[in-house]
Amino acid sequence: MSDSKQQNSRRDFLKTSSLALGSFFIVPRHVLGKGFIAPSDKLNIAAIGAGGKGTSDIINAYNNGASNVVALCDVDFARAKTAFDKFPNAKKYRDFRVMLDEMRSDIDAVTISTPDHFHAYAAMQCMQMGKHVYVQKPLTHNIAEARLLTNAARKYKVVTQMGNQGSSNPAQNVAIKWFEEGKIGNVHTVNIWTNRPVWPQGIPVPTDKPPLVESMAPKDWDTWVGPAQWVDYHPLYHPFKWRGWWNFGTGALGDIGCHTIDSAFRILGLGYPTEVECSVGAVFIKDWTPEYIPEGCPPSSHVEIKFPATKKNKSPMKMIWMDGGIRPMHPDLIPANEAISNDGGANGIILTGTKGIMTIGMYGNDPKIYLNSGERIEMPKAPANEVKSLPEYGHQISWTEACKAGYDSKAHKGLTSSFDYSGPLTETVLMGNLAIRSYMLRKKNERGNFDFYGRNKLIWNGGDMKITNFDDANQFVGREYRQGWKVADL
């Protein structure tokens, strides 16, 4: 039997057995053939990106041996050492395409924890092979890729989860319940802020060419660049500072937006926004002349995104995002000497409604309500002996269990950030970046100076993925791919 037919047969078996009266058929592995795993057996998982956040993602998915880790892939073996040491029997790869080709019949599911620019390319390759995928946030590098992955997950019937672990935080359910009980009324404004970036951002593009790190060969760097436009290696890109460059990263919004915007998106039942506008911080190295660095994300930004009324929230709403250490002022309902969020005010969310406000911390933690009447509502603290802790709220574990249960199973439908949800969420997050990049568009005028002609309110048609009043902004809906690395569905 060919590999493709083998995979299709295996998916049919898993789906049939997991739906049959809610029971499992215990079938030995050898009866099913090489690479087949009975539903009663362990999930075989692999990692694309095993260093950094990828280390905790694969360890959590492993779940103390509840799953098998069969392969680890990272272009920089030094960065992946912790994972390699944890799983010495897993096969090691530098190129995930080689890994999938050699082990396609031995892998059921894949965690993808690469830089942002690589998410869509790797996830699409895996889904087309019938592999379930867990993809770090933000789901993709741009809006078009997010829509592509959302549709592909349905087409290939795979179980998906984005790595915004706070979506699995039980505290989110408390905040949702409070809102649905009408405690703060209809929400008209949401303020969200972060102290990110905590990496160099708003700096000139590096022009020197330091030697490649010893743990990587030139072909590894070529793989690392992947779908992005080619640049030579520089420590301002790898291993962590890629976040501040549009070629690879998505800035502060991409890093934190999928955690914090998630709470408002989930509570209010939001969908596609209708308009966006922004301003960004300037960098001055020379007097009177701001630096122009369109390749890099700005040091700070202020973004306003508007949404129509929803089934859950009966009034139109605006979401105000701030990063770079800029944050909203103290609402009158919060005592003057009290921090406006649970981490001293560094990151947070405030939902302002007709009856009061709700504050929420990073990852959905510590929701509180301050009512116009002066009443204050806090989440009750569970006794210490009743607290059951799972790493990252069991976000990766719930995904692996859903993979075993199968596509469209109760476990799959119960995931908090499958692509059906996290795709539209990611599109909203990246809408802010579309506005920021449009804000930096410029052209020479008749006097020889530059006009920044993209500094307008942008009107968005979510269904068509298009800015309708400023066509030049639509270049940032997707991106140009390096030859041989195009992200596309079959």
Side-chain angles (χ1 to χ4, degrees):
M1 181 183 293
S2 70
D3 284 338
S4 60
K5 290 181 179 178
Q6 202 174 47
Q7 288 298 313
N8 290 333
S9 298
R10 182 174 184 280
R11 285 199 302 272
D12 291 342
F13 172 83
L14 289 172
K15 182 177 181 181
T16 301
S17 60
S18 63
L19 294 177
L21 302 177
S23 62
F24 290 106
F25 296 107
I26 311 300
V27 182
R29 184 188 301 267
H30 68 83
V31 173
L32 298 172
K34 181 181 177 182
F36 284 65
I37 302 176
S40 59
D41 216 340
K42 293 182 180 181
L43 194 74
N44 283 351
I45 53 178
I48 300 173
K53 192 68 184 72
T55 301
S56 60
D57 283 342
I58 193 64
I59 289 175
N60 292 343
Y62 171 67
N63 190 19
N64 296 311
S67 298
N68 291 323
V69 175
V70 297
L72 299 169
C73 179
D74 202 290
V75 295
D76 189 340
F77 274 23
R79 290 277 295 168
K81 184 178 185 304
T82 299
F84 286 177
D85 291 345
K86 174 73 175 178
F87 305 109
N89 295 325
K91 293 185 178 180
K92 315 299 189 295
Y93 293 89
R94 291 182 180 272
D95 189 324
F96 86 96
R97 296 166 297 183
V98 177
M99 178 183 77
L100 292 177
D101 184 56
E102 292 184 0
M103 299 191 66
R104 65 168 58 218
S105 298
D106 300 309
I107 294 172
D108 301 306
V110 183
T111 62
I112 299 170
S113 311
T114 65
D116 301 348
H117 71 289
F118 215 90
H119 289 180
Y121 185 85
M124 183 60 74
Q125 300 289 315
C126 292
M127 288 193 291
Q128 288 172 344
M129 296 176 67
K131 312 303 180 187
H132 307 298
V133 291
Y134 178 99
V135 183
Q136 254 309 318
K137 54 78 196 168
L139 181 60
T140 59
H141 182 264
N142 57 67
I143 293 169
E145 290 177 345
R147 187 74 60 89
L148 189 67
L149 291 196
T150 301
N151 293 334
R154 298 170 187 150
K155 175 180 177 180
Y156 296 108
K157 299 187 184 305
V158 293
V159 176
T160 57
Q161 182 94 304
M162 183 174 76
N164 56 331
Q165 64 270 19
S167 67
S168 291
N169 185 350
Q172 294 258 37
N173 296 327
V174 175
I176 293 170
K177 180 174 180 290
W178 284 346
F179 176 74
E180 291 179 348
E181 290 173 345
K183 292 192 184 302
I184 63 171
N186 285 321
V187 170
H188 53 79
T189 305
V190 176
N191 284 280
I192 303 175
W193 69 97
T194 180
N195 63 350
R196 267 65 163 188
V198 292
W199 50 85
Q201 200 161 288
I203 61 174
V205 177
T207 56
D208 58 321
K209 295 184 179 181
L212 185 63
V213 290
E214 293 182 359
S215 52
M216 295 175 68
K219 64 178 181 179
D220 301 323
W221 178 248
D222 182 85
T223 302
W224 189 96
V225 173
Q229 297 305 304
W230 175 261
V231 294
D232 292 315
Y233 163 80
H234 200 281
L236 281 174
Y237 303 136
H238 174 73
F240 176 69
K241 299 176 180 62
W242 52 264
R243 290 190 177 279
W245 304 100
W246 295 124
N247 199 22
F248 308 120
T250 50
L253 266 160
D255 183 48
I256 295 301
C258 289
H259 292 309
T260 50
I261 292 175
D262 169 52
S263 293
F265 206 84
R266 190 177 303 274
I267 291 168
L268 302 177
L270 299 178
Y272 298 138
T274 55
E275 57 187 72
V276 61
E277 190 171 7
C278 79
S279 62
V280 306
V283 176
F284 284 82
I285 297 176
K286 300 176 182 178
D287 294 348
W288 303 104
T289 306
E291 292 296 302
Y292 181 65
I293 312 169
E295 300 88 350
C297 309
S300 60
S301 69
H302 176 281
V303 180
E304 183 173 290
I305 306 174
K306 291 188 177 180
F307 298 84
T310 69
K311 291 181 180 180
K312 296 183 68 175
N313 191 60
K314 303 305 181 183
S315 63
M317 188 272 294
K318 63 180 177 181
M319 178 183 293
I320 301 170
W321 165 274
M322 302 177 184
D323 61 44
I326 307 300
R327 68 182 195 184
M329 299 300 104
H330 240 79
D332 291 338
L333 294 175
I334 298 180
N337 294 328
E338 183 176 330
I340 60 175
S341 65
N342 64 347
D343 61 356
N347 307 272
I349 309 152
I350 299 174
L351 289 79
T352 302
T354 53
K355 298 180 182 179
I357 64 174
M358 184 190 303
T359 66
I360 307 172
M362 182 79 86
Y363 309 118
N365 278 320
D366 198 26
K368 296 185 182 73
I369 285 179
Y370 303 81
L371 295 177
N372 296 342
S373 64
E375 181 184 358
R376 176 174 175 153
I377 304 172
E378 296 190 35
M379 191 172 75
K381 304 293 183 183
N385 62 348
E386 292 183 8
V387 175
K388 295 181 180 179
S389 125
L390 287 172
E392 297 194 348
Y393 316 107
H395 196 58
Q396 297 90 350
I397 294 171
S398 61
W399 168 70
T400 59
E401 292 303 305
C403 292
K404 289 188 284 187
Y407 180 82
D408 215 28
S409 64
K410 182 178 179 181
H412 177 208
K413 292 177 180 178
L415 291 175
T416 59
S417 204
S418 73
F419 291 0
D420 283 330
Y421 172 82
S422 58
L425 168 62
T426 299
E427 289 189 34
T428 291
V429 171
L430 299 180
M431 178 61 58
N433 282 342
L434 183 151
I436 291 169
R437 299 191 72 180
S438 297
Y439 187 87
M440 297 308 296
L441 290 174
R442 70 179 189 178
K443 58 184 176 183
K444 274 192 175 183
N445 57 33
E446 294 176 352
R447 303 182 304 277
N449 299 321
F450 287 99
D451 290 329
F452 288 87
Y453 67 104
R455 298 183 176 181
N456 309 306
K457 179 186 294 185
L458 304 176
I459 309 303
W460 179 245
N461 181 325
D464 292 340
M465 288 193 299
K466 185 176 182 180
I467 296 293
T468 60
N469 66 322
F470 181 58
D471 192 54
D472 281 7
N474 288 309
Q475 64 186 287
F476 305 119
V477 173
R479 75 172 304 165
E480 291 186 12
Y481 297 105
R482 193 160 62 109
Q483 186 174 0
W485 290 91
K486 184 176 182 180
V487 178
D489 199 359
L490 295 175

